[in-house]
Amino acid sequence: MIAEDVLFSFGAETKEYKSGDIIFREGEFSLFYYQIEKGQIKLNNYTEAGKEFIQNIFSAGHSFGESLLFVDRPYPMNAIAIKDSYIIRLPKSNFLNLIKENQDVSLNVYQCMAERMYYKYIMLYNLSFQNPMLKLKQLMDYLKSYHEDKSPYSFEIPLTRQQLASLTGVRVETVIRTIKTMEKEKILKIEKRKILY
């Protein structure tokens, strides 16, 4: 995350997006650095049959789509607000000047992109699993890896069952059944419909 005052000093603005608003579309070229001030967005694609595949979900403090500011390629995904959101956006040329002039910011951006690549490797490997429990467990392990408390049931999974299905390529009915099985096996706990892992 880049400090908001630094972004604004380089000409950033805050833009409001309502739930369901499209921030950018697959095939468009990147014009801005985006950082979420408040809200939640998803990066997704749709299959030719219209089924949604969610690549990632980001919330306050996260940036998204920044890797494409370094190459002249179109977005291979959409960015859509899941909740009403306030997003700071900085024009591409201003962003590139910002990282040229600030080594700490530059290092932070590279580290963020490395983390995203790590996530992509994990999720690509995840697609090779046939067992839905392995798919869900690997995703939950990754999400919990950023949580300080590693004790059982200390981490609330911040995703809906539909989002878990879209992220892992599994049907939502399968996710629901698998979560019930995981609860019976004491891998996770369900309290008030919340998944504690």
Side-chain angles (χ1 to χ4, degrees):
M1 180 172 115
I2 301 173
E4 292 180 8
D5 60 329
V6 173
L7 291 171
F8 291 124
S9 74
F10 275 80
E13 64 178 3
T14 300
K15 190 160 189 239
E16 183 179 1
Y17 294 89
K18 297 292 183 194
S19 178
D21 283 354
I22 296 169
I23 299 150
F24 58 74
R25 286 184 170 83
E26 183 177 349
E28 294 178 348
F29 282 82
S30 63
L31 301 173
F32 297 97
Y33 166 83
Y34 295 99
Q35 186 168 296
I36 304 167
E37 193 173 2
K38 181 184 174 197
Q40 195 174 50
I41 70 101
K42 64 183 173 183
L43 300 181
N44 76 352
N45 298 93
Y46 296 97
T47 66
E48 56 275 356
K51 183 181 177 190
E52 180 182 39
F53 176 73
I54 296 178
Q55 293 190 20
N56 215 330
I57 294 175
F58 298 107
S59 54
H62 291 113
S63 59
F64 57 95
E66 65 274 7
S67 61
L68 289 157
L69 293 168
F70 297 97
V71 293
D72 193 27
R73 303 255 184 208
Y75 287 115
M77 73 291 201
N78 306 298
I80 301 170
I82 298 174
K83 297 179 177 175
D84 291 351
S85 301
Y86 290 93
I87 297 175
I88 299 168
R89 63 183 207 170
L90 178 67
K92 179 178 180 173
S93 59
N94 299 32
F95 170 76
L96 294 174
N97 287 334
L98 168 59
I99 63 165
K100 280 180 199 166
E101 294 178 23
N102 295 277
Q103 187 177 6
D104 289 346
V105 171
S106 179
L107 234 81
N108 190 5
V109 168
Y110 297 145
Q111 183 179 5
C112 178
M113 288 193 302
E115 280 289 339
R116 302 267 168 80
M117 284 182 68
Y118 177 75
Y119 170 77
K120 291 287 183 194
Y121 292 139
I122 294 270
M123 295 310 289
L124 189 61
Y125 178 56
N126 190 312
L127 291 174
S128 70
F129 296 151
Q130 297 300 314
N131 183 328
M133 189 182 299
L134 285 176
K135 286 178 179 265
L136 288 169
K137 188 167 181 341
Q138 186 178 44
L139 176 59
M140 291 178 188
D141 284 342
Y142 174 78
L143 294 170
K144 189 172 180 175
S145 71
Y146 293 98
H147 187 64
E148 284 185 32
D149 186 352
K150 305 289 188 231
S151 61
Y153 319 128
S154 63
F155 178 66
E156 182 181 316
I157 300 297
L159 303 169
T160 66
R161 280 134 179 94
Q162 180 62 59
Q163 290 167 338
L164 287 169
S166 295
L167 280 164
T168 56
V170 175
R171 292 171 43 96
V172 71
E173 297 82 6
T174 305
V175 167
I176 292 166
R177 278 194 310 272
T178 304
I179 286 172
K180 287 179 183 172
T181 302
M182 291 171 81
E183 183 180 36
K184 285 177 191 164
E185 294 183 13
K186 300 190 185 318
I187 296 169
L188 54 78
K189 191 190 298 186
I190 300 171
E191 285 183 3
K192 296 179 184 169
R193 296 199 33 81
K194 302 286 185 192
I195 301 169
L196 302 177
Y197 184 67

